[in-house]
Amino acid sequence: MAVPGLFAAVRAAPGPWQRVACAAAGFRGRCPGKSYAVGPAQAVAALFSPLQSQPTFGFLLDIDGVLVRGHRVIPAALKAFHRLVNAQGKLRVPVVFVTNAGNILQHDKAQELSALLGFQVEPDQVILSHSPMKLFSQYHGKRMIVSGQGPLVENAQVLGFKNVVTVDELRMAFPVLDMVDLQRRPKTTPLPRNDFPAIEGVLLLGEPVRWETSLQLIMDVLLSNGNPGTGLATAPYPHLPVLASNMDLLWMAEAKMPRFGHGTFLLCLETIYRKVTGKELRYKGLMGKPSILTYQYAEELIRRQAERRGWAAPIQKLYAVGSCTQDLGAHLEMQPILLIRELPIMERLTTLLQKPELAAF
């Protein structure tokens, strides 16, 4: 089921596309269940009930604004991780770091976290905003235009996409499409091209640098059914498939006030599409926090991490520290999931991990 609109998508329950994605990832059992969101006091009691010799719980840790702000680690995060790491520098419980960043390679983000936190973070412990796109194999062979910044093509290839075209490559092929910046307008009219293969979908990995260029060319692709060098009398609908990640309207960096996120870019694209066509832009996949699919993907990584470490005891509980959806527990196999929401978040986690029961773990 396609998801209409940015904010409607955030609130929507998982549709068939998510069930297909779950199956593709090898998720076991049923995703639906009962929600067990609780307050911090109950979380403390549940977390430090008598512990087994092997972990039966894991952590999903938000990065942005919880562990780090901009390029600075939050001091309380270091105190918390001193309790989570053993003498060999290995985590004593399965942990997955979840971020809506998408302009960096997974391997590089793991190295960045390792340097900040002082222990080894493996790439498969990091979920970027677009990581769940690995599940959408039905689009991996299609010719996709990709928008964002950083190592775009390499990130798309890591996700499984084999045939991508960047916005800059499309602009070079059709220079008359990008007309906002007077300095970049062609001085002469180039010959029309008819040798450019049709684009079959849109891949939005993160906020681009030149929003006006990306918005214009993505609209051209959607309105021309993937043939931006031509024009159609009527815009096709349903339009080409659109996959997008990172729904954050705003995000916190070193600045005192929040900065625009990719969600703002998506909102601009949706608004322009609606204004031009009178119809809603629909996503075949919308992921990143707080998408349920992202947390289902994280749940599977927690399970695989425990298996790789030889922890035979089943992981029964997940503690999501940071921004999560209220009904998150209703869609995960591991039950209950306890959401620790009160601020300051890392100070609260530090308090939890200072409980003497953990010393015997």
Side-chain angles (χ1 to χ4, degrees):
M1 178 175 65
V3 184
L6 175 63
F7 298 106
V10 175
R11 295 190 296 267
W17 65 268
Q18 286 184 323
R19 290 194 289 273
V20 171
C22 287
F27 292 157
R28 294 189 287 259
R30 297 184 300 110
C31 287
K34 184 179 179 182
S35 177
Y36 287 88
V38 301
Q42 292 166 283
V44 173
L47 179 57
F48 295 104
S49 57
L51 292 170
Q52 306 296 321
S53 58
Q54 294 187 341
T56 58
F57 61 88
F59 282 112
L60 306 184
L61 298 180
D62 197 347
I63 297 175
D64 313 300
V66 175
L67 301 182
V68 299
R69 173 164 290 183
H71 296 287
R72 294 183 295 108
V73 64
I74 295 175
L78 295 177
K79 297 179 183 178
F81 278 109
H82 287 159
R83 302 293 299 158
L84 281 175
V85 177
N86 63 19
Q88 291 74 42
K90 298 285 188 179
L91 285 164
R92 296 196 284 172
V93 296
V95 173
V96 165
F97 301 89
V98 186
T99 177
N100 268 351
N103 59 355
I104 189 172
L105 292 170
Q106 189 178 31
H107 179 270
D108 292 342
K109 190 65 177 180
Q111 287 187 329
E112 178 185 297
L113 284 174
S114 298
L116 287 170
L117 299 176
F119 63 90
Q120 184 65 39
V121 176
E122 300 296 335
D124 60 1
Q125 291 178 294
V126 177
I127 297 181
L128 303 175
S129 62
H130 46 63
S131 294
M133 287 187 184
K134 295 176 182 178
L135 308 178
F136 290 82
S137 57
Q138 66 269 41
Y139 301 109
H140 288 173
K142 294 185 179 296
R143 183 172 169 84
M144 308 285 284
I145 183 170
V146 57
S147 170
Q149 57 183 292
L152 270 181
V153 173
E154 193 172 355
N155 259 327
Q157 291 172 344
V158 168
L159 294 171
F161 295 93
K162 303 175 180 64
N163 189 2
V164 296
V165 179
T166 67
V167 170
D168 279 342
E169 288 171 337
L170 184 61
R171 184 182 68 85
M172 295 300 293
F174 301 97
V176 297
L177 298 182
D178 185 23
M179 302 295 284
V180 173
D181 188 342
L182 296 177
Q183 298 299 318
R184 300 213 300 180
R185 288 186 183 180
K187 306 305 180 187
T188 60
T189 303
L191 294 174
R193 292 188 57 169
N194 56 11
D195 61 342
F196 194 84
I199 293 171
E200 300 173 283
V202 179
L203 195 59
L204 306 175
L205 299 187
E207 58 269 29
V209 176
R210 285 182 171 265
W211 285 31
E212 80 284 356
T213 298
S214 293
L215 289 169
Q216 178 69 77
L217 270 64
I218 291 168
M219 283 294 299
D220 288 335
V221 167
L222 294 173
L223 297 179
S224 67
N225 204 33
N227 296 281
T230 64
L232 297 179
T234 304
Y237 200 81
H239 53 69
L240 293 174
V242 179
L243 300 176
S245 66
N246 184 359
M247 299 166 281
D248 285 346
L249 192 70
L250 303 169
W251 67 287
M252 284 301 300
E254 288 90 349
K256 299 298 183 183
M257 296 179 66
R259 304 295 87 196
F260 288 157
H262 192 221
T264 303
F265 178 84
L266 296 180
L267 184 60
C268 291
L269 180 62
E270 292 171 16
T271 304
I272 295 170
Y273 187 87
R274 186 187 309 113
K275 195 72 173 180
V276 171
T277 67
K279 298 181 174 66
E280 296 294 326
L281 181 71
R282 295 179 176 268
Y283 301 97
K284 292 296 185 182
L286 192 56
M287 58 217 72
K289 302 174 301 179
S291 160
I292 294 299
L293 177 60
T294 292
Y295 290 103
Q296 290 172 334
Y297 186 71
E299 179 186 33
E300 181 63 15
L301 293 189
I302 286 281
R303 181 184 288 112
R304 293 176 184 176
Q305 190 180 144
E307 291 175 352
R308 187 172 64 251
R309 293 286 299 273
W311 293 326
I315 303 300
Q316 299 172 344
K317 299 177 183 178
L318 294 178
Y319 294 85
V321 182
S323 57
C324 303
T325 56
Q326 291 286 339
D327 62 346
L328 184 57
H331 306 289
L332 297 179
E333 184 179 339
M334 298 174 186
Q335 299 291 341
I337 180 158
L338 308 177
L339 309 182
I340 304 172
R341 295 190 181 90
E342 288 192 0
L343 295 176
I345 293 174
M346 286 314 300
E347 280 83 345
R348 178 153 312 266
L349 181 58
T350 302
T351 301
L352 296 182
L353 296 177
Q354 286 173 346
K355 291 288 183 177
E357 291 88 339
L358 189 59
F361 176 65

